[in-house]
Amino acid sequence: MKIDILTIFPEMFDGFLNTSIIKRAIQNKLVDIQIHDIRKYSKDPHKKVDDYGYGGGRGMVLMPQPIFDAVDDLKKENTKVILMTPQGVTYKQKIAYDLAKEKHLILICGHYEGFDERIRTLADMEISIGDYVLTGGELASMVITDSITRLIDGVIEKESHLNDSFNSNLLDYPVYTKPIDFKGMKVPEVLLSGHHANIAKYRQNEALKKTKQRRPDLLENGDNNG
Ligand code: 6GU
């Protein structure tokens, strides 16, 4: 899987790419993540990437030229181009599973007050990560990249994501580690019993209980993972 990310703030990705599971996935060549500075593609003598919007009102708008040239440079036969925007479809685990099957993604991070409407014509899909406004698409593109990378074979143990919240429309069951008694709060007896069938039953019940309490909408919404 290759993921190319177009941004005007490449430095935002340093910590993300150099930490923990994402870092190891890159080192093990399970995913190739490349950050591209949109400015590099600007044909403007001052490497401008944005300008005032026609009609006035809002502030700076990303210009089409650098982004069109970047996509033209990076796009191959099997590429899916995704625009990060609060106007896109709301991101869900089901979309992560679908995208994890792709060979090559280009994620375009919008910024400032917006991007020229013509940039939309480049995109196969527009994604929002939720109903709130970020200063730019960078954090959203990291969310997408993280959630896809952990689904790639070999990145984490398969068991870890087979049990994920949302796969079965249920939130995760509670987990405990040492000590058995912490400030009077005890690990449930059944988890210490070694009785696998009872443990499975307990976990299923707890997951259902938690989901009913906190996210009853998940139980009504059918399948989330396709
Ligand atoms: Cl993808 N971009 C921005 N700027 N804000 C968002 C978003 C994306 N998703 C939710 N809010």
Side-chain angles (χ1 to χ4, degrees):
M1 161 74 86
K2 169 138 197 248
I3 304 177
D4 287 304
I5 301 178
L6 306 186
T7 173
I8 55 173
F9 296 122
E11 64 277 13
M12 274 185 81
F13 293 83
D14 293 348
F16 173 61
L17 297 178
N18 287 301
T19 308
S20 185
I21 292 169
I22 302 299
K23 177 186 185 178
R24 202 176 61 217
I26 295 167
Q27 282 172 342
N28 293 341
K29 303 206 179 332
L30 298 170
V31 65
D32 178 8
I33 305 171
Q34 298 294 331
I35 311 300
H36 304 271
D37 189 343
I38 292 171
R39 209 168 288 282
K40 201 181 74 185
Y41 288 94
S42 174
K43 288 189 173 135
D44 178 86
H46 303 106
K47 298 279 165 207
K48 255 164 73 106
V49 291
D50 54 14
D51 214 323
Y52 295 99
Y54 286 118
R58 298 220 262 151
M60 303 302 270
V61 176
L62 282 177
M63 302 188 299
Q65 177 274 317
I67 295 177
F68 268 72
D69 284 1
V71 170
D72 192 45
D73 184 31
L74 298 168
K75 196 172 170 168
K76 297 184 210 94
E77 220 170 277
N78 293 318
T79 303
K80 190 157 200 162
V81 180
I82 300 171
L83 190 58
M84 305 311 309
T85 161
Q87 299 174 19
V89 295
T90 307
Y91 196 58
K92 295 272 158 67
Q93 188 65 22
K94 156 98 173 81
I95 304 178
Y97 274 100
D98 289 344
L99 293 180
K101 293 176 198 143
E102 297 286 338
K103 292 214 153 41
H104 181 211
L105 303 175
I106 296 178
L107 307 182
I108 305 171
C109 305
H111 223 274
Y112 294 131
E113 276 73 16
F115 46 82
D116 188 287
E117 189 69 13
R118 291 163 289 190
I119 291 168
R120 290 221 140 84
T121 62
L122 292 171
D124 299 304
M125 187 178 190
E126 298 183 13
I127 293 180
S128 159
I129 60 162
D131 292 341
Y132 42 82
V133 182
L134 302 167
T135 56
E138 281 74 15
L139 288 169
S141 76
M142 287 185 239
V143 167
I144 307 289
T145 301
D146 184 289
S147 62
I148 292 170
T149 300
R150 65 186 288 284
L151 296 177
I152 295 171
D153 274 350
V155 172
I156 57 174
E157 281 177 54
K158 204 154 201 153
E159 218 192 27
S160 304
H161 65 76
L162 287 180
N163 287 330
D164 280 347
S165 280
F166 301 115
N167 279 351
S168 53
N169 298 319
L170 291 179
L171 298 179
D172 266 351
Y173 51 75
V175 296
Y176 297 85
T177 184
K178 293 179 183 114
I180 287 175
D181 186 332
F182 181 70
K183 296 182 189 288
M185 297 178 281
K186 295 197 178 69
V187 175
E189 203 70 49
V190 59
L191 297 179
L192 311 172
S193 69
H195 192 301
H196 296 299
N198 283 353
I199 291 171
K201 211 184 300 168
Y202 160 81
R203 286 179 166 165
Q204 175 74 16
N205 273 337
E206 290 298 311
L208 194 59
K209 203 163 77 189
K210 206 171 234 178
T211 310
K212 275 183 184 157
Q213 277 167 358
R214 301 184 176 203
R215 292 295 306 276
D217 57 300
L218 291 178
L219 298 170
E220 291 150 21
N221 273 351
D223 212 10
N224 274 310
N225 74 358

